[in-house]
Amino acid sequence: MLSVDFYRRDATEVAHDLVGATLLCDGVGGVIVEAEGYRCDDPACHAYRGMTPRNRVLFGPPGRTYVYFSYGMHNLLNVVAEPDGQAGAVLIRALEPTHGVELMQERRCMDDLRNLCSGPAKLTQALGIDLNDNDRSLWNGRFEIRAPSNGDDVEVLVGPRVGISAAKEWPWRFCLSGSSYLSRPIR
DNA sequence: TGTATGATCGCCT
DNA sequence: GGCGATCATACAG
């Protein structure tokens, strides 16, 4: 189990270190194979233009969920991560399904493991995450993030983030090398 | 009160 | 590779 201090660091560092960890929601989930960091000094970060009702959780303590609704139909899951006095988060973009695969297949209406959690909106659908899961603790109840087991050799590839219009080139997307469960390949 | 805009996905060509 | 779906949010007037 990761301590709160793990999340009390720069969001880009936390994003890097979350690759290889296991994310579970009510026991359903898998290994994080893709994550992106968003810091408060970053034009693509929701916290960049100050606090609003939607993003207020970004300004609260690290180690909580930030879920928001996008494109009129998708929920996206973040983990709040920042040093004291800042605001930032890690977008969880893809999982390798390992726990509760059948349930995820039902929710996604498909069997293909590679398509179950290979995108930020796919994985929230597979794990049954919606706006009600915003601002939840990672230590009480529904959510759990387990560190990679000791000795696991995690090779992480770095590249530009996906789907944003600002700060496109900043290399704050982190992927598990060789994974076939990414939302898209990394160059 | 009105309008533009998405940290996307899946289907179409 | 292109595009439509579909609506909460943010911000301007």
Side-chain angles (χ1 to χ4, degrees):
Chain A
M1 185 71 72
L2 296 160
S3 78
V4 66
D5 287 330
F6 176 88
Y7 301 98
R8 191 178 287 122
R9 295 181 296 148
D10 192 285
T12 58
E13 288 179 39
V14 177
H16 174 282
D17 293 348
L18 277 177
V19 173
T22 296
L23 166 69
L24 300 177
C25 179
D26 285 338
V28 175
V31 177
I32 297 173
V33 296
E34 180 177 344
E36 291 177 351
Y38 288 85
R39 318 193 316 196
C40 58
D41 60 350
D42 162 11
C45 179
H46 285 183
Y48 183 68
R49 288 164 213 287
M51 187 159 56
T52 68
R54 177 176 73 166
N55 69 18
R56 67 182 166 74
V57 60
L58 295 178
F59 294 81
R64 299 182 70 80
T65 58
Y66 169 53
V67 178
Y68 78 98
F69 187 63
S70 189
Y71 288 102
M73 59 184 79
H74 300 306
N75 296 296
L76 276 62
L77 172 68
N78 294 252
V79 175
V80 177
E82 75 245 339
D84 287 336
Q86 297 190 29
V90 174
L91 172 68
I92 310 299
R93 286 193 55 89
L95 306 178
E96 174 179 340
T98 57
H99 292 61
V101 169
E102 270 192 25
L103 184 51
M104 291 193 280
Q105 286 170 325
E106 269 178 42
R107 288 167 169 161
R108 292 274 297 135
C109 303
M110 63 170 65
D111 293 336
D112 182 8
L113 286 185
R114 296 187 181 210
N115 262 329
L116 237 37
C117 300
S118 55
K122 295 179 185 176
L123 74 88
T124 55
Q125 187 186 10
L127 272 60
I129 295 168
D130 60 25
L131 281 180
N132 292 318
D133 293 306
N134 187 43
D135 197 18
R136 297 219 192 209
S137 167
L138 295 181
W139 293 280
N140 303 319
R142 185 163 158 84
F143 287 94
E144 180 180 351
I145 297 185
R146 297 179 186 164
S149 29
N150 277 344
D152 268 11
D153 210 5
V154 179
E155 188 185 346
V156 178
L157 298 182
V158 180
R161 295 175 290 182
V162 176
I164 54 175
S165 53
K168 283 183 170 162
E169 300 306 313
W170 298 11
W172 289 348
R173 176 185 183 218
F174 303 94
C175 298
L176 181 62
S177 176
S179 173
S180 42
Y181 300 92
L182 303 178
S183 67
R184 49 183 302 178
I186 197 162
R187 59 167 198 219

